[in-house]
Amino acid sequence: QVQLVESGGGLVQAGGSLRLSCAASGRTFSNYAMAWFRQAPGKEREFVASISWSGANTYYADAVKGRFTISRDNAKNTVYLQMNSLKPEDTAVYYCAAATSFITIRTKDGVNYWGKGTLVTVSS
C-alpha cells in the first residue's frame, strides 16, 4: 500500500501562484510514477501532470502546459505541483496519484493509489 497526503491548497487570485505537495508513505516511493489530477465541481476527474520514477520525464495536459511544473524529491518521498498564472478555470480539488507505469498513470484506470485531495480556488 501507498498512502498519499496532499497539502498546499487554498484561495488565490487569478494570476497568482500556489505549490501543492504530496507526501507518500508505505512502499518504496521511487518505484512509482506520480501524477496530479483535478476535479472541478460537476466535472469528471482529469489528468494534469505526471512524472516518472526518476524525475527525468514529465508530461502535461495541454490546459496547464507552460504554467504548471511537476517535480519530485525521492529523498523526501514527496511530489510537488508548482502552479503559476492561475486562472479561475483551474479551480478544482487536486488529487495526487501513484502508479507503476509512467504511461498508464495518465488515465484514471491506470492509477494504483489516490490521495484524498486538496481544494484550490482561484478567484477572478
Side-chain angles (χ1 to χ4, degrees):
Q1 287 285 342
V2 174
Q3 292 78 42
L4 304 172
V5 179
E6 302 94 336
S7 61
L11 175 65
V12 63
Q13 288 189 332
S17 298
L18 278 177
R19 188 176 83 153
L20 305 182
S21 299
C22 171
S25 60
R27 294 190 175 183
T28 306
F29 176 71
S30 59
N31 286 348
Y32 291 87
M34 301 296 295
W36 290 93
F37 285 72
R38 65 186 182 185
Q39 187 166 14
K43 294 189 176 181
E44 294 286 321
R45 190 173 300 190
E46 64 177 6
F47 170 82
V48 174
S50 60
I51 188 166
S52 60
W53 66 271
S54 67
N57 301 103
T58 57
Y59 187 79
Y60 296 92
D62 288 343
V64 306
K65 202 172 294 183
R67 299 189 297 123
F68 291 11
T69 302
I70 189 170
S71 61
R72 67 190 294 163
D73 185 339
N74 286 344
K76 296 182 178 180
N77 288 357
T78 303
V79 62
Y80 305 97
L81 185 68
Q82 178 66 43
M83 306 185 294
N84 298 329
S85 302
L86 282 161
K87 305 175 182 180
E89 52 263 43
D90 295 318
T91 294
V93 176
Y94 283 71
Y95 296 90
C96 181
T100 55
S101 169
F102 175 59
I103 302 300
T104 63
I105 199 172
R106 300 171 197 174
T107 65
K108 289 179 290 185
D109 289 344
V111 171
N112 298 113
Y113 302 101
W114 292 100
K116 293 185 177 181
T118 185
L119 177 63
V120 172
T121 303
V122 184
S123 63
S124 57

